Amino acid sequence: MQANAAAPIPTNFTQQRIDTVPEKPKLDTTPVKSDSLAKRQRPDSISKIDTIRISKDSIDAPIKYAAADSGVLIIDTKEFLLYGKAKTEYKDLQMEAATIRYDQQSQMVKAYGSLDSTGNPMSKPQFTQGEMKSVSDSIFYDMRTAKGLTKNTFFQEGEIYVNAQKLKKISATEVFASKARFTTCNLDTPHFAFRTSKMKIVNNKLGISSAAFPEFEGVPMPIGIPFGLFPLNRGPQSGLMAPAFTASEDFGLGLEGLGYYFLISDYMDLTTRTNIYSYGGWMANFNSKYIKRYTYTGNLNLTIQNTKALNRGGISKEEFNRSRSFMINWSHTRDGRARPGTSFSGNVNFGSTRFNQNLLNNPLQNFQNQLSSSVNYTKDWRGKYNLSVNANHNQNNNTRLVNMNLPTVNFNVVTLYPFQRKEQVGESKWYEKIGVAYSGNLQNQLSFYDTAFNFRRMLDDLQWGAQHNVPITLSLPSLGPVTLAPSVSYEERWYGQRIFRTWDSVAKKVETTTQKGFYTARQMAFGISANTRIFGTYNIKSKDGGRIIRHEVRPSLAINYRPDMAKKYFYNTQVDTTGRVLRFSQFEGGIIGAFSEGTFGGLSFGVDNLLEMKVKDKSDSTGKATKKIRLIDGFGFNSSYNFLADSFALGNFNIYARSTLFDNINITAGMNLDPYDVDRQGYRINRILFDPAKLKFGRITSGNLAVSTSFTSKPKDGSTEKDRDIPIDPFMTPDEQQRQLQFARANPAEFTDFNIPWSLNLSYSLNFNRVLKPDFSGFETQLFSSINFNGDFSLTDKWKMGGTGYYDISQGGLQQFSMFITREMHCWQLSVNVTPIGLFRSFNITINPKSGILRDLRINRSRVFSNSGF
């Protein structure tokens, strides 16, 4: 008998037909009156209820079936057999096998595989119920009790692959396995596995095993775990976090990362971790993430360090050096849709200045000497006014100086046109284009050293200041290619203190005196500016069609006048034993800068340039298309000349250039050129330093240069960089993203891309500046120069090596360097991280599965050595 696909299987083989799914009996709902007549009615006059007899061996749902060969129905024994790629569907249960046998009386289903012509197994029975799938040699399943027994079964539950000699299914969600092997490797012969005699799995909840022993490439290892718990839930769950073992000559043996994850609610969690060392030191970390969709998201991190390190050659005679430090990181962002027109955000990083130095295995933070924080609130009134309130903090871990701005308030009024008519009819009058705006700023600053913190002294050092700026502009029509813009501005500054410097003839040094109070200063400026653009082209002829170089020049010229309204705030003071006298402002050195002295009436001028080239586009099939290539993104200068000055009339020249070469090398450069000469001590004298024969065109007083580039080989699979981008979690806070990036940098061996054969990133930076010495004895040059590099390359298809480092040219030494080597092993990996240079020298060897569910099952060997004396 040929089997028909998706036909209902017979459920009773007697001559009388019984419905597979019985209909609900219908009752006569006609009401009966409760009178005496009704009580005397005979029983046989009552309405009868129809009944349907159902066979005891029938099932409660239809079964769909199909077979490639045939289907056989044996009426005497009430058995139904399917041969050749048989398939059945019953509720949420699907079964595929070479042969399927169904016994109606016992409602038992048996499935078997078959062998091909060479004797190899084929069409093994496959059993699917819900999300649980298995492949076995044979299957026995009771449809009434939903229980079953399979032999030599392979099945997957979440990330775990299990092979059991016997598998007993006791319900739709629970199974027991005997003589099982489980792994996260999806190969038929896994690279690694754990063998156990007993195992229980609850679908989508938990996997539990008895004593388990690992094996690699089929070779058993002489170690084991007494039991195993494997959460299979999809989504966050509370649970224990396993530690990693480490060893350090300064801290002793230790366990790092021991902790617990608490899922407090759907909106908040808490992660606790601790590091414990044998010498008595410890570190505790508490991290909580909170989020409410369309309202806010944030992260709070608190770390406390109790450092107890071995004293190796320090000044102290104690055996151990002890210190306590802390660090608080808080980030918060409110969704703009929660309250339109307002925003609130915070990014706080505050702690002990020595915290970063005592961190193990984190060379990036060991050299992070700057900490900063900001909390911001803004409000906008329909685009006409806006208010921002900020609280800022920054501290230097080298000088241990802490600066706090609490708060900084900015209020701005956009440009208003007070003479503009409400209803515009015809062309606007010239006076209707007069615009008036306002910007105000209030600052408060506290400064102190964390080693000598005193609240009263901190209040004495409190500084505050405010500034108000009212610009007046007039929009004039363009005069052909030239645009004119006249302007008038008034600025007023408020100060909370005055500073006076006097020469102490006895101590032979400059003494500084501060006076508290309320002081004001003001300034006005008038000007008119003109701007235009000039274009020029130059054709270069060649055999391939030639090239066109396009040069764009953007000159600017402004006539400005500023009266000397700050002269009364300046005074003369002797600064050295030679009798040298310098002029200082009473407000110099305050939180709000001082106005410059002197009348300015002259020109401000500058030239900006853009250089690009038009070439033939080789990717175009027609051969007619062209494309633009920028040779120099911008270069130019700006300066000024004061006609009313009796000396130093020519201003400094600010020269700059920026470009991107070959779409891969970014260059930014700039310098400040002082056109005047100096005396022996470096002080300016009123003499132009200009000698073309000796190539002297002034003095370079400051400059900067930054060059960066990156080289990457083509991916093996031909994917683009966009395809390889990791999607960003929109609910991850910036602080979490930064920490994730830092973890990836600190553990590069675990985040290598074997699809990229090699990559290299290089950057160079140079900064220098001529500054006045603290004792006013002359000037000195501060120079900072460094090279940063990182990259990796594949030794083979499965081995990759790389490194990252920071070389300080100004100090002449490699300040930080770390390297790694990693082995790709399909479902697990070997990684080696080595840091031979830095505050802490370390190496780490780790072997662990890639699967997140077994990530803590790692073999780890770590050692740390200190280069600091603590």
Side-chain angles (χ1 to χ4, degrees):
M1 180 179 68
Q2 181 69 33
N4 297 321
I9 191 170
T11 58
N12 188 24
F13 304 113
T14 59
Q15 297 296 328
Q16 182 181 358
R17 179 182 178 274
I18 302 295
D19 291 337
T20 302
V21 182
E23 296 182 356
K24 184 178 180 180
K26 298 181 179 179
L27 301 178
D28 187 357
T29 57
T30 305
V32 181
K33 297 181 179 180
S34 59
D35 54 11
S36 57
L37 182 60
K39 294 179 181 179
R40 293 192 296 267
Q41 288 180 341
R42 292 181 298 176
D44 57 1
S45 64
I46 299 176
S47 299
K48 295 182 179 179
I49 300 176
D50 295 333
T51 60
I52 299 177
R53 297 188 335 179
I54 304 175
S55 175
K56 294 181 181 181
D57 54 4
S58 63
I59 57 176
D60 58 355
I63 298 178
K64 296 181 179 180
Y65 65 93
D69 189 348
S70 60
V72 178
L73 174 63
I74 304 176
I75 298 179
D76 295 338
T77 59
K78 298 182 180 181
E79 290 182 297
F80 189 72
L81 294 93
L82 296 174
Y83 295 100
K85 297 182 180 180
K87 298 181 181 179
T88 61
E89 293 185 16
Y90 169 67
K91 292 184 178 179
D92 64 339
L93 186 152
Q94 294 90 35
M95 188 179 298
E96 299 180 18
T99 303
I100 297 178
R101 178 188 295 268
Y102 170 66
D103 189 331
Q104 182 188 0
Q105 291 182 344
S106 63
Q107 293 194 9
M108 179 67 69
V109 177
K110 300 178 181 179
Y112 306 94
S114 61
L115 300 177
D116 59 13
S117 58
T118 61
N120 294 320
M122 60 179 295
S123 299
K124 281 194 171 185
Q126 299 184 21
F127 183 91
T128 304
Q129 186 169 25
E131 297 183 3
M132 182 177 176
K133 300 179 181 180
S134 65
V135 179
S136 311
D137 287 350
S138 59
I139 298 176
F140 305 91
Y141 183 76
D142 192 329
M143 301 181 65
R144 292 177 301 183
T145 62
K147 297 180 179 180
L149 178 66
T150 62
K151 295 182 179 180
N152 193 21
T153 303
F154 294 84
F155 74 96
Q156 178 184 0
E157 179 61 36
E159 295 183 52
I160 293 183
Y161 298 88
V162 180
N163 170 225
Q165 294 299 317
K166 291 184 179 180
L167 188 72
K168 185 177 181 181
K169 184 176 180 62
I170 62 173
S171 68
T173 60
E174 294 179 305
V175 296
F176 286 90
S178 174
K179 297 182 180 179
R181 180 186 67 188
F182 60 94
T183 179
T184 56
C185 182
N186 60 358
L187 299 180
D188 292 338
T189 303
H191 290 104
F192 80 98
F194 288 86
R195 289 192 178 273
T196 181
S197 58
K198 298 178 182 179
M199 189 173 186
K200 178 182 179 180
I201 292 181
V202 181
N203 191 19
N204 288 333
K205 288 187 178 181
L206 186 68
I208 306 172
S209 75
S210 60
F213 300 89
E215 63 179 25
F216 292 91
E217 300 289 352
V219 179
M221 306 297 292
I223 56 176
I225 55 177
F227 62 91
L229 296 175
F230 310 98
L232 303 175
N233 304 69
R234 291 167 175 81
Q237 296 290 326
S238 299
L240 187 68
M241 306 181 74
F245 177 78
T246 187
S248 169
E249 61 181 6
D250 295 285
F251 297 89
L253 303 179
L255 293 177
E256 295 182 341
L258 176 63
Y260 196 88
Y261 176 79
F262 297 91
L263 183 62
I264 300 175
S265 66
D266 293 338
Y267 307 102
M268 181 181 295
D269 65 3
L270 174 65
T271 303
T272 62
R273 287 184 178 273
T274 183
N275 298 345
I276 304 174
Y277 303 99
S278 60
Y279 289 168
W282 53 268
M283 183 181 74
N285 174 263
F286 306 91
N287 182 277
S288 178
K289 177 183 176 182
Y290 55 91
I291 182 172
K292 190 173 183 180
R293 289 177 182 267
Y294 313 118
T295 306
Y296 56 78
T297 179
N299 181 278
L300 176 64
N301 185 82
L302 171 63
T303 305
I304 302 173
Q305 282 186 137
N306 181 34
T307 304
K308 186 178 180 182
L310 187 65
N311 185 6
R312 297 185 296 108
I315 300 176
S316 175
K317 296 181 179 180
E318 298 291 334
E319 182 181 3
F320 293 96
N321 292 321
R322 296 176 173 85
S323 65
R324 290 192 177 185
S325 57
F326 72 95
M327 180 64 66
I328 298 176
N329 308 101
W330 174 62
S331 61
H332 178 91
T333 304
R334 189 173 68 186
D335 196 310
R337 292 166 290 186
R339 186 174 295 179
T342 65
S343 67
F344 177 78
S345 63
N347 186 14
V348 176
N349 302 280
F350 180 77
S352 305
T353 55
R354 298 303 182 192
F355 177 86
N356 288 344
Q357 184 175 339
N358 293 335
L359 284 176
L360 289 179
N361 301 325
N362 199 329
L364 294 174
Q365 271 193 266
N366 291 152
F367 291 94
Q368 184 178 346
N369 295 319
Q370 294 290 337
L371 293 177
S372 61
S373 305
S374 65
V375 179
N376 308 306
Y377 170 81
T378 63
K379 183 173 178 58
D380 180 79
W381 286 271
R382 298 181 179 179
K384 295 183 178 180
Y385 320 96
N386 59 79
L387 170 71
S388 66
V389 182
N390 308 309
N392 301 302
H393 143 267
N394 67 80
Q395 67 186 83
N396 188 295
N397 292 345
N398 285 333
T399 63
R400 311 192 78 168
L401 178 64
V402 181
N403 297 313
M404 304 181 70
N405 297 320
L406 302 169
T408 298
V409 182
N410 294 278
F411 182 75
N412 299 285
V413 180
V414 299
T415 303
L416 303 176
Y417 298 91
F419 305 109
Q420 193 175 67
R421 290 169 291 177
K422 294 183 178 179
E423 296 181 2
Q424 290 288 344
V425 178
E427 295 185 0
S428 300
K429 305 296 182 180
W430 69 270
Y431 57 82
E432 292 183 304
K433 297 182 179 180
I434 297 177
V436 181
Y438 168 80
S439 63
N441 173 264
L442 170 66
Q443 297 184 43
N444 301 271
Q445 187 180 79
L446 294 171
S447 299
F448 59 91
Y449 290 93
D450 68 344
T451 55
F453 177 78
N454 184 284
F455 185 74
R456 183 174 180 178
R457 183 184 302 174
M458 183 181 65
L459 293 179
D460 292 339
D461 294 337
L462 172 67
Q463 298 185 48
W464 72 272
Q467 55 185 348
H468 312 271
N469 191 12
V470 182
I472 303 173
T473 59
L474 174 61
S475 300
L476 296 179
S478 301
L479 299 177
V482 180
T483 302
L484 298 178
S487 62
V488 179
S489 66
Y490 171 81
E491 186 175 358
E492 182 168 320
R493 298 179 182 178
W494 297 348
Y495 301 92
Q497 64 181 11
R498 293 190 300 183
I499 300 175
F500 293 94
R501 297 172 175 85
T502 58
W503 174 255
D504 188 339
S505 58
V506 177
K508 296 183 180 181
K509 65 178 182 178
V510 176
E511 297 288 349
T512 302
T513 305
T514 302
Q515 293 181 358
K516 297 289 185 179
F518 177 76
Y519 310 99
T520 62
R522 52 200 55 84
Q523 185 65 274
M524 290 193 69
F526 308 87
I528 182 171
S529 63
N531 299 275
T532 188
R533 301 171 67 186
I534 303 173
F535 301 92
T537 58
Y538 179 75
N539 294 327
I540 302 177
K541 297 181 179 180
S542 61
K543 296 181 180 180
D544 58 354
R547 296 170 177 82
I548 301 176
I549 296 179
R550 181 176 179 268
H551 184 196
E552 180 180 344
V553 184
R554 295 186 286 261
S556 62
L557 179 67
I559 302 175
N560 301 300
Y561 172 73
R562 186 189 68 233
D564 188 4
M565 303 176 66
K567 183 177 180 179
K568 60 183 178 180
Y569 306 119
F570 280 77
Y571 59 92
N572 295 327
T573 296
Q574 181 180 342
V575 296
D576 57 22
T577 56
T578 64
R580 184 182 298 276
V581 175
L582 297 179
R583 287 184 64 77
F584 296 95
S585 171
Q586 300 175 10
F587 308 120
E588 187 176 343
I591 188 174
I592 300 293
F595 288 115
S596 59
E597 182 185 21
T599 302
F600 183 89
L603 298 176
S604 298
F605 53 89
V607 178
D608 187 34
N609 299 266
L610 171 64
L611 201 63
E612 58 186 5
M613 182 170 59
K614 184 181 292 186
V615 298
K616 183 179 179 181
D617 189 358
K618 297 181 179 180
S619 62
D620 181 64
S621 58
T622 63
K624 298 181 180 180
T626 60
K627 64 179 180 178
K628 292 181 180 180
I629 299 176
R630 285 199 173 186
L631 302 177
I632 301 179
D633 295 334
F635 66 97
F637 70 93
N638 54 70
S639 183
S640 63
Y641 190 88
N642 186 5
F643 292 102
L644 303 180
D646 56 358
S647 61
F648 303 107
L650 184 60
N652 290 355
F653 285 79
N654 179 30
I655 304 172
Y656 60 89
R658 59 187 182 277
S659 180
T660 302
L661 302 179
F662 312 109
D663 296 328
N664 199 30
I665 303 176
N666 300 312
I667 302 176
T668 303
M671 66 178 179
N672 187 277
L673 188 70
D674 190 341
Y676 291 93
D677 204 352
V678 295
D679 59 13
R680 293 181 178 180
Q681 288 184 294
Y683 289 93
R684 298 177 77 193
I685 57 177
N686 191 26
R687 183 177 65 203
I688 295 291
L689 184 61
F690 182 77
D691 189 352
K694 297 182 179 180
L695 299 178
K696 290 186 177 181
F697 304 95
R699 299 177 301 107
I700 300 176
T701 59
S702 65
N704 63 82
L705 173 65
V707 182
S708 63
T709 183
S710 62
F711 302 96
T712 304
S713 63
K714 294 182 179 180
K716 296 178 180 178
D717 59 1
S719 61
T720 63
E721 184 176 355
K722 184 178 180 180
D723 298 331
R724 300 191 305 271
D725 287 342
I726 300 175
I728 299 176
D729 184 358
F731 301 107
M732 182 179 289
T733 64
D735 178 67
E736 286 182 305
Q737 296 177 14
Q738 185 65 22
R739 289 178 181 278
Q740 190 178 56
L741 179 61
Q742 289 180 354
F743 180 80
R745 287 175 175 174
N747 301 272
E750 298 185 28
F751 297 90
T752 55
D753 187 356
F754 283 87
N755 189 42
I756 306 296
W758 62 268
S759 65
L760 177 64
N761 299 298
L762 296 171
S763 65
Y764 170 76
S765 64
L766 170 67
N767 292 276
F768 66 92
N769 191 25
R770 293 284 293 173
V771 297
L772 183 63
K773 295 180 180 180
D775 59 357
F776 304 101
S777 61
F779 291 79
E780 61 182 0
T781 301
Q782 294 181 346
L783 177 66
F784 304 96
S785 180
S786 64
I787 297 176
N788 289 270
F789 58 90
N790 69 79
D792 58 65
F793 63 95
S794 297
L795 299 172
T796 66
D797 291 341
K798 299 299 182 180
W799 284 96
K800 185 175 280 287
M801 185 177 183
T804 179
Y806 163 73
Y807 185 86
D808 193 331
I809 299 177
S810 56
Q811 295 186 8
L814 189 63
Q815 299 298 316
Q816 188 268 323
F817 176 70
S818 61
M819 58 183 297
F820 72 87
I821 185 169
T822 182
R823 171 73 160 92
E824 162 67 25
M825 300 180 180
H826 182 257
C827 55
W828 62 291
Q829 66 181 8
L830 165 70
S831 62
V832 180
N833 294 279
V834 181
T835 303
I837 296 175
L839 291 177
F840 295 101
R841 295 171 290 117
S842 65
F843 72 85
N844 176 276
I845 302 175
T846 302
I847 301 176
N848 66 280
K850 289 184 177 180
S851 171
I853 195 173
L854 295 180
R855 195 171 188 84
D856 290 330
L857 291 176
R858 60 173 61 192
I859 301 174
N860 178 274
R861 177 60 173 168
S862 177
R863 292 294 301 272
V864 180
F865 309 90
S866 173
N867 279 343
S868 63
F870 288 93

